[in-house]
Amino acid sequence: AQGLPYFLAFTNAFPTVFDLANAEEEQVLKLWQGLGYYSRARNLHTTAKYVANTLNGVFPNNYKDLLKLKGIGEYTAAAIASFSHNEAVPVVDGNVFRVLSRYFDIETDISLATAKKEFSDLALELMPKNDPATFNQAIMEFGALQCVPKNPDCQNCIFNSSCAALQKKKVQTLPVKLKKIKISYRFFNYIVFEDDKLNTVIQKRDQKGIWQNLYEFPLIETETELNLDAVSELISDKYSSQYKIKGISNLNSNGKIHKLSHQHLNINFWKVKVKGEILGATNKKNIKNFPFPKVIFNFIEEEYTELS
């Protein structure tokens, strides 16, 4: 439901790998906007260029060569190789870990590096070599729809008479995953300049990390959440020599919490009225044309462009 509109937009904009290869990165990121994991969009673009220009548009047809493409790891390579070319390679994702660990009562910690090989070897042993595509799709779908992470309907499961975890009352404890993701907390203060002609300042996020090559307002990152007085002092210290500041106000009084897989971002937008005209700025009504992280784009669309 989330991915399909993006897929249709992509295939409409880039009907062939050559179209995607020839596209500007900003166009690719704009179409991707809202999906998150923007490195995937950049990898997709890089791989399209490689396939178009180095491989003459011929996509690799086997698992080993697929792994050489930027952005394609073991999971994606196995999916493409088995679905498109009927190669007998098992796809192991979270669903497969869960189904196999429960059915066979496997207590291996799936966060361990060695777990992937153990489960891949088991899946390969079970896989009918003449129809790997159906097997891979079926076991993933079974995990997604039936053998779900919490409270699966085991009484109405085709495997309830042979599932080891069900017999041993271990369904809720499998698979075992001991390693926990460490969450970091960051505080972003976006400075939304606005001059007398409703121009504002946006910049491309060039540094590596989250949102690379997407656009944002000038950013002051702090160690804690700050109130208006504290932020006003920081803004004045950093920008008063560059702009004639008329006033500073908070555009979202409660802040926004944006949760990524390893980071929680506390985001505030601060409006800074500037006297005169900012040179090289972007008019407020045109900024929607640039690729932004979803949280910033939502702010622009829902709050900022409505304000005068």
Side-chain angles (χ1 to χ4, degrees), residues 119-176:
F119 281 85
S120 292
D121 289 346
L122 176 57
L124 184 60
E125 186 180 336
L126 298 168
M127 172 186 287
K129 305 307 182 287
N130 62 330
D131 193 7
T134 300
F135 176 84
N136 278 337
Q137 294 184 67
I139 194 169
M140 286 194 293
E141 201 74 350
F142 186 79
L145 299 178
Q146 175 65 33
C147 197
V148 294
K150 294 182 179 179
N151 303 315
D153 185 8
C154 296
Q155 297 312 309
N156 292 304
C157 176
I158 194 171
F159 296 121
N160 59 17
S161 63
S162 55
C163 174
L166 183 59
Q167 313 310 322
K168 298 179 182 181
K169 296 181 169 51
K170 295 171 67 175
V171 171
Q172 300 300 334
T173 61
L174 292 172
V176 175

Side-chain angles (χ1 to χ4, degrees), residues 262-283:
H262 293 77
Q263 302 182 54
H264 289 182
L265 309 179
N266 186 301
I267 297 173
N268 277 281
F269 295 89
W270 305 91
K271 186 174 183 178
V272 180
K273 292 288 288 183
V274 174
K275 185 177 181 181
E277 183 177 358
I278 301 172
L279 296 178
T282 303
N283 192 269

Side-chain angles (χ1 to χ4, degrees), residues 17-188:
V17 70
F18 298 100
D19 296 308
L20 178 55
N22 292 327
E24 293 295 326
E25 185 181 83
E26 278 193 16
Q27 184 189 5
V28 176
L29 290 173
K30 184 65 179 174
L31 283 170
W32 193 273
Q33 180 177 277
L35 275 176
Y37 299 99
Y38 291 92
S39 61
R40 294 178 178 176
R42 293 190 292 271
N43 289 340
L44 188 69
H45 194 206
T46 298
T47 286
K49 292 178 183 177
Y50 178 75
V51 171
N53 301 324
T54 304
L55 303 182
N56 298 315
V58 180
F59 206 79
N61 64 1
N62 62 84
Y63 177 77
K64 185 179 178 181
D65 288 338
L66 285 163
L67 283 175
K68 297 175 183 177
L69 300 180
K70 190 173 177 65
I72 293 185
E74 294 175 352
Y75 167 71
T76 305
I80 297 171
S82 62
F83 298 169
S84 299
H85 305 289
N86 219 35
E87 186 176 350
V89 281
V91 170
V92 179
D93 68 349
N95 292 310
V96 177
F97 274 128
R98 189 166 56 255
V99 172
L100 294 180
S101 68
R102 285 175 175 170
Y103 188 81
F104 292 101
D105 183 23
I106 301 172
E107 295 186 337
T108 301
D109 180 357
I110 64 171
S111 65
L112 297 175
T114 54
K116 183 71 177 289
K117 185 177 187 310
E118 179 182 349
F119 281 85
S120 292
D121 289 346
L122 176 57
L124 184 60
E125 186 180 336
L126 298 168
M127 172 186 287
K129 305 307 182 287
N130 62 330
D131 193 7
T134 300
F135 176 84
N136 278 337
Q137 294 184 67
I139 194 169
M140 286 194 293
E141 201 74 350
F142 186 79
L145 299 178
Q146 175 65 33
C147 197
V148 294
K150 294 182 179 179
N151 303 315
D153 185 8
C154 296
Q155 297 312 309
N156 292 304
C157 176
I158 194 171
F159 296 121
N160 59 17
S161 63
S162 55
C163 174
L166 183 59
Q167 313 310 322
K168 298 179 182 181
K169 296 181 169 51
K170 295 171 67 175
V171 171
Q172 300 300 334
T173 61
L174 292 172
V176 175
K177 188 175 183 180
L178 300 178
K179 185 179 179 182
K180 290 190 176 181
I181 296 173
K182 185 179 179 181
I183 302 293
S184 63
Y185 297 86
R186 302 175 71 181
F187 298 86
F188 284 11

Side-chain angles (χ1 to χ4, degrees), residues 189-258:
N189 298 279
Y190 281 114
I191 316 306
V192 185
F193 290 106
E194 189 171 288
D195 66 14
D196 293 339
K197 294 191 175 183
L198 298 183
N199 293 319
T200 191
V201 177
I202 58 174
Q203 60 194 23
K204 184 181 280 193
R205 194 175 173 91
D206 292 324
Q207 67 268 37
K208 289 190 175 182
I210 63 166
W211 302 337
Q212 183 183 358
N213 291 347
L214 297 178
Y215 283 79
E216 63 181 0
F217 296 103
L219 171 66
I220 296 178
E221 184 173 353
T222 54
E223 293 184 356
T224 59
E225 187 172 11
L226 302 181
N227 60 25
L228 176 59
D229 290 340
V231 168
S232 296
E233 188 175 339
L234 285 177
I235 293 171
S236 296
D237 288 346
K238 186 170 184 178
Y239 294 107
S240 58
S241 62
Q242 191 174 352
Y243 305 116
K244 293 182 178 179
I245 297 173
K246 295 195 294 183
I248 302 172
S249 59
N250 192 344
L251 289 174
N252 60 315
S253 57
N254 296 322
K256 295 180 183 292
I257 304 297
H258 189 65

